[in-house]
């Protein structure tokens, strides 16, 4: 049985995903509120895995919570904190609890987070994690041993269309597809001309691509991302537009911009859907979707 | 030439390690730490001054030619009286030197340096870590550049999403290994080898701790 999200991808509809960000601690009220608010409005919710290498409630726990609340989770798994035994074990656990979508990521450096002295793992990379999922689906673990009770996942990965230079990223992208990635959620894209160019190239592969949209909350936030978030480039014109917002109106302007971009992506059929990242402002996803006419 | 790259420990840590050890003999080395200015004659002299000012009795100092050589034991035996008067040896060499001395002299050894990596001198006063001695070398397919070492995450199938403008996400001063590998393979007309999927790494090259014996003739 394909997952609900997989069916949405295959249906040809414009797919929308968003994020549910686990909190630091066991008070899950905010996360539950976001899940409740969004679960029926989007096709699936990604649950982030110690985002930015900051220790939080686990993505697997969050994904199970989304499932229990009637939503469709995409389990984000990074290779930063677990070796191949732990990753496979968590995949078995996920499958046993009805979590059947996985986004495979390398993971940020431990040094960028709040436990800088921790041992980084990176036993596997993102393409190898995708390949491991496909191996497990054939009934074997990575060591070739039989699994008693199998798994089935809709497995995806990410790409950074605005990376410079782009060629090494594209080679890695193709390796992820060859390893078996069925969908791609991109890093944030703001330059539509550049993204269109990427899609002209990507269209040759049978993979569903959801464009990453990060909600801009202020002009300084946009400048901060340009300076600190690799692979994200907010063009000056958008920074100026954010700066032009009346006092107290920056967030509304950001919602307007995100909505406009999503509308353009959908109307011009640039790719198969969007992945909305409203980092810390998850309740605004509803407004972004309304602004996009979704 | 490869060099052991070291860094002076913070003064507070050295002070803590020497707590209760009032009489100290200082050992430097004439090889790597002289080159990196972390344990040569000037640094040993500065440490002597620093410890004396802190109220320690420095019973003597020496800069041995190659601390990691087994001959170091004999050299130190020649100045045994100064060493015997000390409560501890403060050793300003890399960990190879510290351990060589610890095996040969029955005395408390305190390292004054942290050993960072085994580096290759790639320019005047510029050292880079180019090999982690993993035991399963793959540089035949990566243009002679080791991604296990030169990529912060040791990735073997291409760059992560954190790279930008050919630099690493952790430090704009560090090059992205995969940008370098891409450029090298492109120059060589060998990009196909970057497209080849690399299986998960074999971490069993030589289970730690490494050990090697010449086979009997």
């Amino acid at each position: 049985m394909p997952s609900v999200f997989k069916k949405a991808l295959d249906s040809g509809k414009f797919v929308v995903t968003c994020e549910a960000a686990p909190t630091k601690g066991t008070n899950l009220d905010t996360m539950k509120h976001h899940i409740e608010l969004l679960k029926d409005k989007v096709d699936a919710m990604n649950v982030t895995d110690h985002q930015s290498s900051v220790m939080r409630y686990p993505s697997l726990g969050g994904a199970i919570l989304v499932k229990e609340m009637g939503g469709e989770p995409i389990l984000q798994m990074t290779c930063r904190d677990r070796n191949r035994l732990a990753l496979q074990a968590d995949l078995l656990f996920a499958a046993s609890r009805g979590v059947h979508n996985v986004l495979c990521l390398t993971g940020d450096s431990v040094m960028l987070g709040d436990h800088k002295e921790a041992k980084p793992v990176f036993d596997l990379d993102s393409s190898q994690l995708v390949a491991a999922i496909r191996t497990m689906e054939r009934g074997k673990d990575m060591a070739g041993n039989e699994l008693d009770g199998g798994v089935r996942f809709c497995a995806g990965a990410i790409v950074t269309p605005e990376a410079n230079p782009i060629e090494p990223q594209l080679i890695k992208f193709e390796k992820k597809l060859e390893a078996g990635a069925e969908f791609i959620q991109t890093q944030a894209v703001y330059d539509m001309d550049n993204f269109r160019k990427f899609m002209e190239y990507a269209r040759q592969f049978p993979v569903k691509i959801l464009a990453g949209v990060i909600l801009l909350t202020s002009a300084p936030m946009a400048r901060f991302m340009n300076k600190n978030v690799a692979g994200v480039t907010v063009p000056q014109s958008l920074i100026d537009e954010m700066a032009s917002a009346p006092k107290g109106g920056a967030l509304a302007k950001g919602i307007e911009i995100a909505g406009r971009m999503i509308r353009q992506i959908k109307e011009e059929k640039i790719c198969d859907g969007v992945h909305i990242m409203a980092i810390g402002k998850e309740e605004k996803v509803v407004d972004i979707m309304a602004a996009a006419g979704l | 030439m490869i060099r052991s790259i070291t860094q002076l420990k913070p003064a507070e840590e050295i002070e803590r390690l020497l707590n209760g050890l009032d009489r100290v003999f200082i050992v430097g080395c004439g090889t790597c730490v002289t080159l990196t200015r972390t344990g040569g004659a000037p640094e040993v002299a500065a440490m002597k001054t620093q410890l004396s000012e802190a109220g320690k009795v420095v019973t003597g100092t020496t800069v041995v030619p190659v601390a990691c050589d087994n001959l170091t034991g004999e050299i130190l035996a020649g100045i045994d009286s100064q060493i015997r008067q000390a409560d501890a040896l403060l050793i300003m060499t890399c960990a190879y030197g510290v351990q060589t001395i610890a095996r040969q002299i029955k005395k408390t050894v305190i390292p004054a340096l942290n050993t960072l990596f085994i580096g290759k001198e790639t320019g005047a006063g510029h050292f880079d870590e180019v090999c982690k001695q993993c035991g399963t070398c793959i540089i035949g397919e990566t243009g002679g550049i080791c991604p296990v070492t030169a990529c912060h995450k040791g990735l073997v199938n291409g760059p992560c999403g954190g790279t930008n403008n050919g630099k690493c996400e952790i430090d704009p001063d560090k090059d992205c290994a995969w940008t370098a590998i891409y450029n090298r393979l492109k120059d060589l007309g060998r990009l196909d080898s970057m497209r080849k999927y690399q299986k998960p790494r074999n971490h069993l090259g030589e289970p730690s701790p490494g050990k090697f014996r010449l086979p009997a003739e």
Side-chain angles (χ1 to χ4, degrees), chain B residues 20-195:
Chain B
L21 303 167
D22 296 327
R23 301 169 68 82
V24 181
F25 185 90
I26 307 172
V27 182
C29 172
T31 311
C32 307
V33 293
T34 290
L35 200 69
T36 55
R37 297 179 200 157
T38 45
E43 293 77 39
V44 167
M47 181 62 78
K48 181 184 177 186
T49 306
Q50 188 186 320
L51 293 186
S52 300
E53 283 170 0
K56 302 282 184 191
V57 176
V58 177
T59 65
T61 68
T62 187
V63 176
V64 298
V66 187
C68 59
D69 192 296
N70 287 342
L71 285 175
T72 296
E74 291 174 31
I75 294 168
L76 294 181
I79 43 174
D80 187 48
S81 60
Q82 288 175 51
I83 290 175
R84 252 188 300 137
Q85 289 169 27
D87 299 325
L89 303 180
L90 182 69
I91 306 187
M92 302 182 71
T93 75
C94 74
Y96 291 87
V98 178
Q99 295 195 39
T100 301
I101 293 165
R103 269 192 2 222
Q104 294 176 326
I105 310 257
K106 199 175 167 191
K107 205 48 124 178
T108 298
V109 293
I110 305 292
L113 310 181
N114 286 322
T115 304
L116 303 181
F117 58 93
I118 303 301
K120 160 98 185 82
E121 190 167 19
T122 49
H126 192 131
F127 298 87
D128 284 304
E129 187 180 19
V130 300
C131 174
K132 276 200 186 303
Q133 296 95 40
C134 74
T136 49
C137 191
I138 62 163
I139 63 176
E141 292 175 299
T142 56
I145 298 168
C146 173
V148 171
T149 310
C151 166
H152 171 66
K153 298 171 186 172
L155 304 178
V156 295
N157 274 303
C160 70
T163 172
N164 220 5
N165 300 315
K167 297 294 174 185
C168 179
E169 72 179 13
I170 64 155
D171 185 347
D173 199 35
K174 294 192 175 180
D175 293 330
C176 168
W178 278 102
T179 305
I181 292 169
Y182 171 81
N183 290 334
R184 177 81 59 84
L185 291 173
K186 192 177 174 196
D187 279 353
L188 295 170
R190 294 287 309 274
L191 276 178
D192 277 0
S193 79
M194 184 165 164
R195 293 181 196 281

